[in-house]
Amino acid sequence: IRKAFASKTILAKNIEEYQTKEQKTSGSSTGEPLSTMEDNLTADLGRASFYRGLKWANWELGEPSVKLWGQRSPKGTLKLRLANKIINWETFNAFSMDDDLFLKFYNYLIENKVQHIYSYVSTLVQFIKFVEAKKLVLPPIKSIITTAEVLTVYAKEQIEEAFNTKVFNGYACGEINGIAYQCEHRSGFHISMERCIVEVVDDKGEVLPYGQYGRLAITDFYNHAMPLIRYINGDEGVLTDEKCACGRNLIRINEIAGRTSDIIDSLNNKKVHSTYFHVVFIPKLDWQKKYGLKKYQFIQESVDTLRVIMNLEINPPEVEIEEMKNILREQLGPMKINFTTNVNDFENSAGGKFAWAINKTRTKIRKNEFKVD
């Protein structure tokens, strides 16, 4: 896909007839940068799938809601701010989490009688720890939706107990957008079959039967500007055709073992969500185009030491390496940064999956930490 995108052979010959937007992602669980073109129709259908998922989670558009999510700029784009105003959402930047942000987030929940929360799993867990440390009382919430990370059994129990509400999970990826969401029974994920098809395949790409674990292969029906057909995004799971108790006939993803993310602890008392690295940091460097950046990983070895591993076609000059380190220190504080290039030996997380950020100073306590709900 990367080669075809560069040569434009994967793009529709009449692409100028479509209204399109370039999307940059991490390349799913591989951590490799990937660009795609998304036309307006598939973007609209992705949003429709997402809003239906909200409805299943007892979420009425217009009710006061908050989004604890990553933003490229501190205030977000004007378009995002207007959209949030229309649907009565407020966004708090999960790329720069500290006690001040969490306190503002908490006060907003109280003052605005917020009904719903949409958040990264790990960010919400960190917020709960803050609330417990400060001995604060959380207000009643109608529902919570998590996405972008695996919702472990342990995390789900933590969040539901703290907020005394139900947690719903969604499944999407940047290349396809809204794919599958949980209904009120929260038994697997109903696939948005009106806009995409999900298959489970083996290592050779052969389709596996229902109930068998394998790679997810996703086809977007409507992105004619840049078709992605049976796209394997790095996630794994199991499908079921058994009827859900809700009565919907949409096929379900029974289990998902997706990307495993972690949080980097900065030296300026901020907790930096791993999504920051590929959404803000990597695009700011622009090393993908300049030096052929293929894959990357950030590993916190100790409280004050970060190891940066990159696979590049050309080594950047020393002055740009120092500039890269300074950009990281602006976000993380005066950390010691060890930079390694041209290696293929990337580490897996404790769950056995590739993660573009790993924090070795954190320990996993519960045995079921990596069980998929």
Side-chain angles (χ1 to χ4, degrees), residues 99 102-103 106 126-134 136:
D99 284 1
F102 282 149
L103 185 58
Y106 175 81
Q126 290 298 318
F127 173 67
I128 291 168
K129 290 180 180 177
F130 165 81
V131 168
E132 290 174 347
K134 299 293 183 181
L136 301 174

Side-chain angles (χ1 to χ4, degrees), residues 303-314:
V303 173
D304 63 351
T305 304
L306 183 75
R307 181 153 58 100
V308 179
I309 306 171
M310 291 187 176
N311 191 324
L312 304 119
E313 292 177 359
I314 303 170

Side-chain angles (χ1 to χ4, degrees), residues 26 28 31 69-70 94-97 120-123 126 147-150 259-265 271-283 296-300 306 328 331-332 349 354-359 362:
S26 67
S28 306
W69 204 252
F95 285 160
S96 188
M97 297 174 290
Y120 298 132
V121 176
S122 55
T123 306
Q126 290 298 318
T147 188
E149 300 166 325
V150 172
R259 308 160 184 82
T260 303
S261 299
D262 215 330
I263 288 176
I264 300 299
D265 296 306
K271 302 183 189 305
V272 180
H273 192 276
S274 59
T275 316
Y276 160 81
F277 295 101
H278 69 266
V279 172
V280 176
F281 176 71
I282 293 298
Y296 51 88
Q297 192 171 51
F298 302 85
I299 302 174
Q300 185 162 9
L306 183 75
L328 283 174
Q331 184 73 16
L332 304 174
S349 70
F354 176 87
W356 51 78
I358 296 175
N359 189 335
R362 293 168 178 263

Side-chain angles (χ1 to χ4, degrees), residues 177-201:
N177 286 322
I179 296 171
Y181 296 90
Q182 291 186 326
C183 70
E184 57 271 25
H185 293 279
R186 299 183 297 165
S187 178
F189 303 76
H190 289 282
I191 298 168
S192 297
M193 294 169 62
E194 304 92 340
R195 66 170 303 263
C196 67
I197 186 170
V198 178
E199 300 169 282
V200 173
V201 301

Side-chain angles (χ1 to χ4, degrees), residues 78-95:
L78 175 61
K79 185 177 180 180
L80 176 64
R81 295 200 302 274
L82 286 173
N84 285 344
K85 186 78 172 175
I86 291 169
I87 61 176
N88 202 11
W89 277 22
E90 183 66 31
T91 301
F92 290 80
N93 193 357
F95 285 160

